[in-house]
Amino acid sequence: MVSARALCLGIFAAAAHLALWSTAGQALELTSPDVVNGVTLKIAQVHTQCGGQNRSPALVWSGAPKGTASYAITMFDSDANGGRGFWHWLVFNIPASVQTLPAGAGSETDLPNGAVQSENGFGTPGYGGACPPPGSGTHHYTLTLYALPDAKIPLDSKANTGAVASYLKSHAPATAMLTGIYRR
């Protein structure tokens, strides 16, 4: 059983940790010329299996908390597979000095040195664009930027999507999101 004193010390430590990560009124922000919240994705961000170009969107971010040592980016379709979702992109170990990714960076050759991509739901490493089943309604594709306290996370390109997502969600004190939509 945890004592009240230990619980209070734990809460204090967590609050102190978050305070160290705060910035002076500035929040982590993610923007893109290719993805706008609530707006249909461009054909460039749609998978080739669905008539698109399968090119990851250009991304820009700012407002990293103090202590950020790396970033990660994911793209998740929360409407796929009966609401269980589908991972379209998982990239991590992006150096803290990087604050932009050009369009197409989701290919193996266009990422910053040290960045790692794990396999997406299509079973390939890198970016896999939007490709919902015809008639399945509007799908929401959420890009999430994670600011992380470690330069390298303890996972590699063979890590499954669940392990990567779980690690990012539990270790990132700051996130920013953009959600585009697409339907066929």
Side-chain angles (χ1 to χ4, degrees), residues 31-37 39-45 55-60 101-104 127 143 178 180-181:
T31 60
S32 174
D34 301 321
V35 179
V36 177
N37 275 322
V39 175
T40 299
L41 294 173
K42 295 178 180 179
I43 199 70
Q45 280 68 61
R55 187 172 43 183
S56 61
L59 300 171
V60 178
L101 288 180
Y127 178 82
L143 285 153
L178 281 174
I181 60 172

Side-chain angles (χ1 to χ4, degrees), residues 15-91:
H17 178 73
L18 290 175
L20 287 173
W21 275 82
S22 68
T23 56
Q26 187 177 14
L28 188 61
E29 183 179 10
L30 176 63
T31 60
S32 174
D34 301 321
V35 179
V36 177
N37 275 322
V39 175
T40 299
L41 294 173
K42 295 178 180 179
I43 199 70
Q45 280 68 61
V46 174
H47 201 282
T48 54
Q49 293 176 6
C50 291
Q53 298 168 0
N54 202 44
R55 187 172 43 183
S56 61
L59 300 171
V60 178
W61 56 90
S62 62
K66 287 182 183 180
T68 298
S70 70
Y71 298 100
I73 296 168
T74 62
M75 188 167 112
F76 185 71
D77 172 3
S78 58
D79 302 300
N81 295 321
R84 289 186 314 276
F86 187 90
W87 292 100
H88 287 265
W89 196 21
L90 299 105
V91 57

Side-chain angles (χ1 to χ4, degrees), residues 93-108:
N93 295 346
I94 299 168
S97 60
V98 174
Q99 294 189 333
T100 64
L101 288 180
S107 71
E108 287 295 315

Side-chain angles (χ1 to χ4, degrees), residues 114-169:
V116 175
Q117 296 185 104
S118 62
E119 288 186 356
N120 56 40
F122 294 105
T124 59
Y127 178 82
C131 193
S136 65
T138 300
H139 285 237
H140 296 79
Y141 297 87
T142 301
L143 285 153
T144 304
L145 169 70
Y146 300 83
L148 298 162
D150 300 310
K152 298 201 180 293
I153 67 171
L155 298 170
D156 62 21
S157 62
K158 301 296 182 197
N160 72 45
T161 57
V164 175
S166 177
Y167 184 91
L168 297 176
K169 289 176 184 177

